[in-house]
Amino acid sequence: MTKIDKKFVIAIDGAAATGKSVLAKGIAQKLGILYIDTGAMYRAAGYYFITKKIPMTEEEILKNIDLINIKLKYIDGETIVYLNGKDITSYIRTEEISMAASNISKNKYIRKKLVKLQREMAGEESVVLEGRDITTVVFPNADLKVFLTASIEVRAKRRQRDLEKKGNYMDIEEVKASLQKRDIQDSTRKESPLTKVKDAIEIDTTNLTNEKTVDMVISLLKERI
Ligand code: DC
């Protein structure tokens, strides 16, 4: 582990399956800092509405927003997600919940609640966060801002592999279509759309190993702080 004495924030944004979580997890492990998977929070919110069969209308969201309590815990390097005290970690990585998360994330009240929670969780510690609005909204003054990209073919293969590991087989074309649908939704929405800010470092992970990307980001950080 490399220890850096100064407090810092690393913000990572990018589309689904561009390698954000493995990168953030790798950085957190190497530097011994906190990792916040913000997508997991939107997944938990989406899961709430799907399992309770509540339509995601503004009216219903406002009625339910104070009843949604999301907590992340970190056990052995893994993010454990709690919704109202229940561990829902193993239920939120399906394509149904991916789409539900993308749908609920369009709502400004949900975003406000989760952004506040993310900033509170980060507190005074050094932290790496990943999502869609970290460099633009959550921590626009982060010490290092990274924007990840990768080809749609590689992203679809990665996502298909992740789903398979959890026992969910999906045809590659279906995976691709689902990713592309979310890309459009997440980057064209009115509230905090996914976008690359000018001072973010763009990294294309198509042909990079995770180790290489982790090392690249850590050296960039060291140059800046
Ligand atoms: O990173 P992910 O695939 O787990 O995210 C699921 C969805 O949540 C994503 O399609 C859009 C939304 N999201 C968001 O709007 N803002 C974030 N910071 C993280 C995720």
Side-chain angles (χ1 to χ4, degrees):
M1 201 194 289
T2 324
K3 268 270 165 224
I4 298 179
D5 289 334
K6 205 174 160 263
K7 186 220 161 203
F8 57 87
V9 174
I10 304 175
I12 304 171
D13 281 327
T18 50
K20 299 186 302 292
S21 342
V22 275
L23 170 62
K25 221 185 279 180
I27 295 170
Q29 267 164 7
K30 240 184 171 161
L31 300 181
I33 60 166
L34 178 66
Y35 158 48
I36 303 178
D37 173 355
T38 66
M41 297 179 172
Y42 289 93
R43 285 173 183 272
Y47 180 86
Y48 175 93
F49 286 89
I50 292 282
T51 48
K52 291 197 180 297
K53 299 194 167 52
I54 301 172
M56 295 179 198
T57 58
E58 186 148 308
E59 193 190 342
E60 288 296 342
I61 290 171
L62 285 172
K63 256 199 244 165
N64 283 275
I65 197 156
D66 292 334
L67 306 173
I68 305 174
N69 179 17
I70 298 166
K71 273 210 171 74
L72 302 188
K73 271 195 195 161
Y74 300 90
I75 301 174
D76 295 333
E78 290 305 318
T79 304
I80 311 294
V81 187
Y82 294 90
L83 173 65
N84 295 334
K86 184 181 166 223
D87 178 355
I88 58 161
T89 315
S90 56
Y91 309 123
I92 58 167
R93 300 286 163 195
T94 63
E95 279 311 285
E96 184 192 17
I97 301 301
S98 297
M99 203 47 83
S102 178
N103 290 338
I104 199 72
S105 72
K106 288 191 247 173
N107 182 270
K108 64 175 174 216
Y109 302 106
I110 291 282
R111 299 208 70 83
K112 200 168 163 217
K113 178 181 170 115
L114 295 187
V115 167
K116 183 168 174 271
L117 184 60
Q118 288 151 20
R119 290 186 182 139
E120 283 167 5
M121 284 169 68
E124 291 308 305
E125 280 184 68
S126 285
V127 59
V128 52
L129 305 98
E130 50 98 357
R132 304 292 188 291
D133 61 341
I134 312 301
T135 59
T136 53
V137 176
V138 185
F139 281 107
N141 298 320
D143 298 275
L144 181 64
K145 295 181 224 172
V146 177
F147 189 83
L148 288 193
T149 61
S151 75
I152 185 68
E153 281 72 26
V154 163
R155 291 170 57 206
K157 272 192 202 131
R158 285 178 189 159
R159 183 45 50 97
Q160 190 189 40
R161 218 182 308 127
D162 291 345
L163 287 168
E164 239 171 63
K165 273 192 212 150
K166 297 193 167 70
N168 307 318
Y169 177 78
M170 233 172 116
D171 177 74
I172 194 78
E173 290 307 319
E174 253 183 275
V175 180
K176 220 187 256 184
S178 170
L179 286 175
Q180 281 167 328
K181 188 169 172 202
R182 268 207 294 153
D183 283 356
I184 295 174
Q185 192 154 287
D186 296 343
S187 55
T188 59
R189 69 184 177 212
K190 192 165 152 260
E191 302 295 330
S192 317
L194 171 66
T195 171
K196 182 191 165 296
V197 286
K198 254 200 244 133
D199 56 345
I201 310 281
E202 183 166 336
I203 303 178
D204 181 347
T205 66
T206 307
N207 298 308
L208 286 177
T209 63
N210 189 46
E211 263 151 53
K212 188 126 197 214
T213 320
V214 168
D215 290 344
M216 232 161 111
V217 173
I218 292 178
S219 17
L220 282 167
L221 175 78
K222 285 182 176 161
E223 278 170 23
R224 272 150 204 256
I225 61 171

